[in-house]
Amino acid sequence: MSTVSEGELEHWFEQGMQSYTNESRFFSCLIRAMVYAYVPVSDDSKNVRLIQFRHPDGYDAIPFFTSAQRAARSSFNGLRTIRLPCTTLFEQTRGATLMVNPNDGGAVLFPEEVATLLQSGTLETFEKVSLGEGPVDVRPATSAPDNLIRALDGNVPLPPFIREIYLLEKRAVDGRSSRASLLIYAGVEARQMERGARHLVSVVQALDPRPEDIVDVAVFDIAQAKPGFLDEIGGIPVFASGD
């Protein structure tokens, strides 16, 4: 597997920041590149210990950088920068959350996504959009693909922070003739909302065959009162943890 130059990696990082359609190309370059991370200046440990920071959403993550310049711009006293293959970084930090170029709006990579990158050599991306403007008619799904139902009802291992999953369909109220789209609506622990949504996106992306229609994913805080519309439409979860 050929090594990607720092200049090419930087180019595709910038392209990925401009459009999510370029993100897969960036990730395929990232896994073949050298990257930069922080370690303590003084460390008595025999093993390399990387620095973690607290993400604003409340979890710890390891920052790393696509260029020496980005790493130097973010560094401060007590740290030094090391350069290493991205694959080595990912393999030696399995189970951790990482942030690429955190001061420049780069992606958070959750453990499941790191594992996918190591296995497949890239990472499929998705577009973050609102669930639609104007009133929407939501009801339990009646024609979801069988493999999607099986994936959500426990046949695919789900992380413990995903506690409930509803499979719904939605359509604009003013477009009765429009085709309904599927909506995966999940109750997730508050600190893991984004990770839960992205995990479910990855579940959909891994289906074979893929659903022909668009599948949206939305989450709610499982610790709060269940959204009232679920009872109004007779929503029954296709998955509920035993907790």
Side-chain angles (χ1 to χ4, degrees):
M1 185 168 60
S2 61
T3 302
V4 171
S5 70
E6 187 171 297
E8 184 178 0
L9 183 62
E10 282 285 284
H11 169 77
W12 284 108
F13 174 75
E14 295 294 342
Q15 292 297 308
M17 293 298 294
Q18 293 177 26
S19 173
Y20 80 97
T21 60
N22 296 318
E23 289 181 355
S24 290
R25 180 64 181 271
F26 164 68
F27 288 123
S28 67
C29 290
L30 178 66
I31 199 68
R32 296 184 287 126
M34 301 291 289
V35 296
Y36 301 82
Y38 295 144
V39 297
V41 170
S42 300
D43 193 351
D44 295 332
S45 174
K46 295 180 180 179
N47 301 315
V48 175
R49 296 197 298 181
L50 299 174
I51 297 297
Q52 292 189 110
F53 291 106
R54 179 56 58 95
H55 189 277
D57 288 344
Y59 52 81
D60 292 328
I62 297 169
F64 71 103
F65 304 87
T66 54
S67 71
Q69 181 180 7
R70 291 185 195 274
R73 192 170 71 237
S74 303
S75 186
F76 53 88
N77 292 337
L79 302 181
R80 63 184 177 91
T81 302
I82 61 170
R83 184 172 183 256
L84 71 168
C86 188
T87 51
T88 300
L89 173 66
F90 285 176
E91 288 166 353
Q92 294 184 356
T93 58
R94 285 181 182 270
T97 297
L98 295 95
M99 300 183 293
V100 55
N101 295 340
N103 294 328
D104 298 308
V108 173
L109 295 172
F110 294 109
E112 302 89 344
E113 295 166 321
V114 172
T116 298
L117 267 166
L118 285 169
Q119 180 178 6
S120 67
T122 190
L123 187 66
E124 288 195 60
T125 54
F126 56 92
E127 184 180 12
K128 287 186 177 181
V129 298
S130 65
L131 290 180
E133 297 180 359
V136 177
D137 179 26
V138 180
R139 63 189 64 193
T142 57
S143 57
D146 289 341
N147 62 343
L148 176 60
I149 297 173
R150 290 194 299 270
L152 297 178
D153 69 7
N155 280 277
V156 173
L158 294 170
F161 49 81
I162 297 178
R163 306 283 290 280
E164 287 185 351
I165 301 176
Y166 296 82
L167 188 53
L168 311 173
E169 61 184 32
K170 64 184 182 71
R171 72 173 76 231
V173 171
D174 58 356
R176 295 183 180 179
S177 62
S178 65
R179 192 170 183 174
S181 60
L182 292 172
L183 170 63
I184 298 171
Y185 194 48
V188 181
E189 294 176 8
R191 284 194 170 188
Q192 303 285 4
M193 300 279 275
E194 181 178 359
R195 184 177 175 184
R198 285 163 59 173
H199 183 89
L200 291 169
V201 168
S202 70
V203 168
V204 175
Q205 291 176 337
L207 291 175
D208 184 18
R210 290 272 190 91
E212 294 182 0
D213 297 324
I214 293 173
V215 180
D216 290 324
V217 174
V219 295
F220 64 93
D221 183 355
I222 193 64
Q224 303 297 318
K226 183 171 66 175
F229 79 90
L230 290 171
D231 287 332
E232 293 173 7
I233 65 174
I236 299 174
V238 295
F239 168 81
S241 69
D243 296 343

